[in-house]
Amino acid sequence: MGQCPQTGKPVYLKTGRFGPYVQLGAADDKEKKNASLPKDMAVEEVDLETALKLLALPRTLGAHPENGQPVVAHSGRYGPFIKCGDETRSLPDDVTPLDVSLEQALLLLAQPKAGRGRRAGATKEPLKVFDASPVTSQPVKLLDGRYGPYVTDGQTNASLPKGVAVESVTLESALQLLAERAAKGPAPKRGRR
């Protein structure tokens, strides 16, 4: 692919037993370094700059505002994750350690750690509770779910659009999201494999 500007060593794009990866240094180099490609990254997308970023992982995002410890993005054996002190959280599928922001990492670290075999239906405290919905007469709640924040009126659930901050959600915006979701109809049921 080219040469690393810092070390002058060659950078390769290879395919191994566990999929595509990048390598810094020749095969006989005792100090060669490897880094796997994130699973949603196509081999065609990898250029020298991306390869060098992957090889530079782990990446420090900044200090945690509460404890001052560094928040670091890693790519590990079981996928990408963030770490701060003893706390670790897996990154969602649509976020890579190359593009995760400190803000996203802090949101993930604020969530309770998903224990192994934890029931998906385990209830969490709502992030916000609004007045009752005119549709269901139940309080509208802003919750943090498995796939990110969402609002519910007890009958309909609507995910927050990407880029919408949890703090900016009002009763009006929550009711609008719920109305749009209800208008789409129920989600299609997935068949078992």
Side-chain angles (χ1 to χ4, degrees):
M1 297 189 77
Q3 243 77 29
C4 171
Q6 277 82 35
T7 64
K9 292 182 179 182
V11 178
Y12 300 97
L13 176 60
K14 296 184 166 192
T15 302
R17 216 169 48 167
F18 302 110
Y21 67 98
V22 288
Q23 178 178 306
L24 174 65
D28 58 355
D29 185 343
K30 285 187 172 46
E31 294 175 9
K32 70 176 184 266
K33 186 175 180 186
N34 297 333
S36 295
L37 266 57
K39 64 181 173 188
D40 62 338
M41 185 180 285
V43 174
E44 299 78 41
E45 293 175 41
V46 182
D47 55 9
L48 182 61
E49 183 184 347
T50 307
L52 291 170
K53 284 181 182 175
L54 286 167
L55 290 160
L57 290 173
R59 179 172 76 99
T60 302
L61 308 177
H64 196 291
E66 289 170 21
N67 60 25
Q69 292 186 311
V71 178
V72 183
H74 292 265
S75 186
R77 184 175 174 185
Y78 301 109
F81 66 99
I82 48 165
K83 183 176 172 82
C84 180
D86 294 333
E87 290 290 310
T88 59
R89 297 291 184 279
S90 292
L91 288 175
D93 288 342
D94 59 337
V95 182
T96 73
L98 299 181
D99 57 18
V100 65
S101 67
L102 179 60
E103 185 181 50
Q104 288 172 307
L106 293 174
L107 280 171
L108 285 168
L109 288 165
Q111 294 175 13
K113 194 167 192 168
R116 289 169 67 166
R118 183 174 165 189
R119 259 189 5 165
T123 55
K124 288 197 259 184
E125 286 298 306
L127 300 174
K128 282 186 185 179
V129 179
F130 300 103
D131 292 336
S133 161
V135 179
T136 64
S137 303
Q138 293 184 41
V140 174
K141 295 177 183 176
L142 174 60
L143 301 166
D144 191 16
R146 183 174 173 190
Y147 302 108
Y150 68 99
V151 289
T152 183
D153 61 7
Q155 285 181 359
T156 305
N157 295 344
S159 297
L160 293 192
K162 277 194 168 54
V164 172
V166 169
E167 302 78 41
S168 70
V169 178
T170 62
L171 176 62
E172 291 73 31
S173 64
L175 290 173
Q176 185 176 346
L177 285 169
L178 289 164
E180 288 169 7
R181 181 68 193 94
K184 288 181 182 173
K189 294 273 187 246
R190 287 197 186 141
R192 280 196 138 153
R193 289 186 180 180

